[in-house]
Amino acid sequence: METRYLGLGVVFLWFFLGGAGHFLLTDAFLRIVPPYIPFPLAAVYVTGVLELLGALAILVPRTRASGGIGLILLTVCVTPANVYMWMNPQLFPDISESLLGARLFLQVLLIACIWWSTRRD
């Protein structure tokens, strides 16, 4: 059970800091929105709000499981941005191609960590 709280802490920090980043580093997040997504600025802000709400939801035992499901769905929904980066590494020269590929694998691990740390006993 104690290791589950460690996972919960990782998930919280990932989404809380990431959500805040959507507002503090908006231009960086705008760069990774695929061009076929309409209203990219709105997409960045909406996903930032959802990340923050999900992070806060998993802190409350009563809302933890539903918050976890929401974060899993959100993670799946933002996957196109990671695929876009991986398929267009020339647009992101400051990030190594191997790291862009690793992000997709890490996303699968993140989903597993969300599920494991937020599910009901």
Side-chain angles (χ1 to χ4, degrees):
M1 186 67 156
E2 293 168 8
T3 55
R4 188 183 279 181
Y5 286 118
L6 177 61
L8 197 62
V10 167
V11 172
F12 171 79
L13 287 173
W14 183 277
F15 285 100
F16 189 80
L17 295 175
H22 284 242
F23 299 95
L24 300 173
L25 305 167
T26 304
D27 288 341
F29 281 87
L30 276 171
R31 288 185 56 227
I32 69 172
V33 176
Y36 56 83
I37 301 291
F39 310 107
L41 183 60
V44 168
Y45 286 147
V46 168
T47 54
V49 167
L50 293 174
E51 287 189 22
L52 292 169
L53 289 174
L56 295 174
I58 65 170
L59 292 179
V60 180
R62 194 181 71 178
T63 59
R64 184 169 295 147
S66 57
I69 291 168
L71 288 175
I72 289 170
L73 292 173
L74 179 61
T75 302
V76 170
C77 288
V78 300
T79 296
N82 292 333
V83 172
Y84 173 71
M85 291 179 74
W86 176 62
M87 293 181 67
N88 297 283
Q90 72 282 2
L91 299 176
F92 309 96
D94 296 339
I95 305 172
S96 74
E97 287 187 43
S98 57
L99 184 58
L100 292 174
R103 280 185 69 185
L104 295 171
F105 176 71
L106 289 172
Q107 197 153 348
V108 173
L109 293 179
L110 177 62
I111 288 171
C113 187
I114 296 166
W115 178 255
W116 170 72
S117 66
T118 62
R119 66 183 162 80
R120 289 191 173 104
D121 290 329

